[in-house]
Amino acid sequence: MEIRIFESKEAVAENFCTFLHNLIKKNGEVHIALSGGSTPKIVFNELASEYRDLIPWADVHLYWGDERCVPPTDAESNYRMTKEHLLDAIEIPEANVHRIKGEEEPEEEARRYASVLRQNVPLHGDLPQFDLVILGMGDDGHTASVFPHQIELWDSPNLCEVAVHPDSGQKRITLTGGVINQAGHVAFLVTGSNKSERLREILDKEGNYHQYPASLVAPDSGELLWFLDKAAASEIS
Ligand code: 6PG
């Protein structure tokens, strides 16, 4: 595990983009699962402005680690956020963008997306192996859309499950722990002081930290990187 701490969320985004660019140069064709949330939005803006002509987007295949069960035009849609902040600015083949169809019946979509992963992401054993899974962490310790009140979803034998947001009741499609921990690299992007207490519990392995799904991210590859700003990292020892 590697922890990288930066002055600001903008610096987190800049450094993560350098890491991503180097990974793409090293691996050639890459399969990446994207996260929703506010920190990735800054990353996408940086990629769209500084890396539009530097990254060979035809070699990049994009998926989502989770999606809200809403239409792709909905303000809540992770796909819509990615389209507005990245996809509309780069020349990436449509066939390389594998969105979760939030507008479909959730259980059916979870099954469909699992088959999309099996058909498109290179298999390692019987699991799709992403080159990179990008994750955020909620201040409740959730990651992707596995929330503490449904932590059992993490160990589902299915690649994807239907989750429910604990406050809004919104349904979501989420990747589960097996495929996330199969990835060649996992990168957490965590910023903001509202994450600092949870990060301390998880990174300092305090108390019942395994109640938080983010604590269960442990890629078999060992390549787990935390990109943090100082605000989020303010309480870790
Ligand atoms: C989502 C995300 C979610 C996010 C965390 C952190 O669909 O909302 O996938 O897991 O990563 O909630 O979000 P922030 O980066 O906005 O804090």
Side-chain angles (χ1 to χ4, degrees):
M1 179 193 302
E2 187 183 334
I3 298 176
R4 300 182 185 181
I5 301 174
F6 301 95
E7 284 296 323
S8 66
K9 56 186 173 185
E10 290 73 19
V12 166
E14 282 165 28
N15 285 272
F16 174 74
C17 288
T18 303
F19 162 79
L20 177 63
H21 188 202
N22 290 335
L23 181 67
I24 294 170
K25 281 189 282 190
K26 176 165 156 275
N27 287 17
E29 181 181 83
V30 290
H31 298 260
I32 302 171
L34 303 175
S35 171
S38 57
T39 312
K41 199 179 290 187
I42 306 169
V43 168
F44 297 159
N45 290 338
E46 177 78 4
L47 289 173
S49 56
E50 303 304 321
Y51 290 81
R52 192 179 58 171
D53 303 322
L54 292 178
I55 288 178
W57 295 105
D59 295 337
V60 179
H61 298 261
L62 300 177
Y63 308 77
W64 275 262
D66 65 329
E67 181 57 276
R68 292 81 181 277
C69 291
V70 296
T73 50
D74 191 292
E76 282 278 301
S77 165
N78 287 335
Y79 168 77
R80 173 177 156 176
M81 183 272 281
T82 310
K83 183 177 187 299
E84 288 176 348
H85 292 270
L86 177 61
L87 302 181
D88 287 348
I90 60 174
E91 298 287 318
I92 187 167
E94 210 170 306
N96 288 26
V97 179
H98 308 270
R99 75 175 179 92
I100 299 173
K101 295 182 178 177
E103 69 274 25
E104 300 296 335
E105 195 286 316
E107 294 293 346
E108 267 177 45
E109 181 55 15
R111 285 191 292 274
R112 184 196 73 87
Y113 203 66
S115 63
V116 167
L117 299 183
R118 289 195 185 285
Q119 288 161 17
N120 292 279
V121 182
L123 293 175
H124 183 85
D126 67 350
L127 281 175
Q129 182 171 52
F130 285 105
D131 297 272
L132 173 64
V133 172
I134 302 171
L135 294 173
M137 186 192 77
D139 51 14
D140 61 353
H142 83 261
T143 192
S145 279
V146 180
F147 295 91
H149 76 296
Q150 291 181 312
I151 196 161
E152 72 283 355
L153 292 180
W154 184 262
D155 293 317
S156 165
N158 300 321
L159 299 179
C160 302
E161 287 284 358
V162 178
V164 179
H165 191 284
D167 302 325
S168 66
Q170 183 186 61
K171 285 192 175 181
R172 307 222 178 148
I173 309 290
T174 186
L175 296 190
T176 56
V179 63
I180 289 173
N181 281 337
Q182 183 67 41
H185 297 76
V186 177
F188 266 109
L189 305 180
V190 184
T191 60
S193 57
N194 61 318
K195 312 291 174 75
S196 60
E197 186 187 337
R198 204 66 65 232
L199 263 185
R200 188 198 70 236
E201 290 180 83
I202 291 171
L203 294 180
D204 290 353
K205 298 187 181 341
E206 263 185 33
N208 183 20
Y209 67 97
H210 271 321
Q211 68 182 299
Y212 306 122
S215 75
L216 303 178
V217 176
D220 301 345
S221 67
E223 294 294 331
L224 172 60
L225 295 97
W226 293 80
F227 289 82
L228 311 176
D229 69 356
K230 282 178 88 170
S234 59
E235 295 186 38
I236 54 179
S237 56

